[in-house]
Amino acid sequence: MPSEIERKFLVTGDGWRRAALGPGLRLRQGYLPNGGAPGAPVVRLRLAGEQGFLTIKGPGLLTRAEFEYPIPPGDAEAMLAGLCTSPILEKTRTRVGHGGLVWEVDEFAGPLAGLVLAEVELASADQAFERPAWVGREVTGDPRYQNNNLVRAGAPPGA
Amino acid sequence: MPSEIERKFLVTGDGWRRAALGPGLRLRQGYLPNGGAPGAPVVRLRLAGEQGFLTIKGPGLLTRAEFEYPIPPGDAEAMLAGLCTSPILEKTRTRVGHGGLVWEVDEFAGPLAGLVLAEVELASADQAFERPAWVGREVTGDPRYQNNNLVRAGAPPGA
């Protein structure tokens, strides 16, 4: 199975804006109800600008199986409106260069406004990487910061 | 939203074989866990011969929103093996002509061997159609005959 290794951090300042690799991309995404059982696969519908995506993520927080397919934006709109659990999560994603890696900084909007998270994708779980000054506490292992849980429960205290 | 109107029947004999439009297609399919809540969307992974499909079905038994996408067969295999609730449903689907419409006859295998169901797709819920001699009781409104429930609970008594 294809898999991804991501590490996720709280963002503590605006320093990342100076290293932005381009304008931010507006994302709207939602999740199909999955019963919330631990380990249940997550099905995400996303509109990224004008493109729709359907993504299935297997269990696990750090290394997880992921399958992603482009779909017509109208299909994504219809499933976000008709099938996904509400509310729909909205954020702006900006790619930021640091130490030879590309970070993704997500500024949340709507009910989660004020929350800013940064993720970096690594080739292996033990890959060394340079930690930017603008990241704070690591939240990779914290399920409260998974997007599907943020949608349901809101931002954790102290985020 | 695109939608489909299907009516489903038990099959009571072999008469349909004489009207088969071609050889049967072997299907293997499974479902992502969705918590089983009434009305929860169903996500189906299917291998149809050598082609993979991912299908999302909204709530409702007769008219339901449906979104289907072709995916690489290796992805379908991986999700059937790693993410779907077991057991995987196996059946052979044969297209059968009757009264100007195409019926799909499904002969189940594995734990559901012996169960044969026929479906016809209609343009509207009240469209008249000729009922073949080889169909018996209609089970359109019976959730026990939905594939995802057949996988979980087995064939209902008297099927």
Side-chain angles (χ1 to χ4, degrees), chain A residues 1-2 32-36 39-43 45 54 56-59 65 67-72 74-76 78-79 81-84, chain B residues 1-2 32-36 39-43 45 54 56-59 65 67-72 74-76 78-79 81-84:
Chain A
M1 280 195 200
L32 296 186
N34 69 350
V42 169
V43 181
L45 281 307
L54 171 59
I56 297 178
K57 297 189 180 210
F67 302 88
E68 184 161 81
Y69 309 103
I71 63 172
D75 286 11
M79 287 188 267
L83 298 182
C84 290
Chain B
M1 277 196 203
L32 296 186
N34 70 350
V42 169
V43 182
L45 280 307
L54 171 59
I56 297 178
K57 298 188 180 211
F67 301 89
E68 184 161 82
Y69 309 102
I71 62 171
D75 287 11
M79 285 188 268
L83 297 182
C84 289

Side-chain angles (χ1 to χ4, degrees), chain A:
Chain A
M1 280 195 200
S3 65
E4 55 175 16
I5 293 158
E6 287 177 345
R7 293 181 67 173
K8 188 185 289 192
F9 299 83
L10 298 181
V11 170
T12 54
D14 266 355
W16 56 272
R17 295 192 193 277
R18 289 191 297 274
L21 301 173
L25 181 66
R26 187 76 172 177
L27 303 179
R28 291 182 56 223
Q29 64 192 47
Y31 300 86
L32 296 186
N34 69 350
V42 169
V43 181
R44 182 183 73 199
L45 281 307
R46 174 182 274 178
L47 268 171
E50 299 299 313
Q51 177 61 58
F53 292 97
L54 171 59
T55 307
I56 297 178
K57 297 189 180 210
L61 289 171
L62 182 64
T63 306
R64 53 196 295 168
E66 180 164 323
F67 302 88
E68 184 161 81
Y69 309 103
I71 63 172
D75 286 11
E77 277 283 11
M79 287 188 267
L80 282 170
L83 298 182
C84 290
T85 51
S86 53
I88 300 307
L89 187 148
E90 298 185 46
K91 59 186 179 183
T92 299
R93 170 164 289 180
T94 306
R95 289 159 55 84
V96 175
H98 185 89
L101 293 174
V102 175
W103 290 69
E104 290 179 333
V105 175
D106 286 345
E107 299 173 273
F108 289 79
L112 292 164
L115 178 64
V116 187
L117 296 175
E119 279 187 3
V120 64
E121 190 164 343
L122 302 176
S124 67
D126 57 356
Q127 179 184 345
F129 63 98
E130 189 183 311
R131 198 162 155 152
W134 40 265
V135 307
R137 182 160 61 88
E138 179 164 8
V139 295
T140 303
D142 190 337
R144 297 176 300 166
Y145 289 92
Q146 284 184 277
N147 282 312
N148 53 327
N149 292 329
L150 287 171
V151 165
R152 197 168 54 217

Side-chain angles (χ1 to χ4, degrees), chain B residues 59-115:
Chain B
L61 289 171
L62 183 64
T63 305
R64 53 196 296 169
E66 179 164 323
F67 301 89
E68 184 161 82
Y69 309 102
I71 62 171
D75 287 11
E77 277 282 10
M79 285 188 268
L80 283 170
L83 297 182
C84 289
T85 51
S86 54
I88 300 308
L89 187 149
E90 297 185 45
K91 60 186 179 182
T92 299
R93 170 163 289 180
T94 306
R95 289 159 53 84
V96 175
H98 185 90
L101 292 175
V102 175
W103 291 68
E104 291 178 333
V105 175
D106 286 346
E107 300 174 273
F108 290 78
L112 292 165
L115 178 63

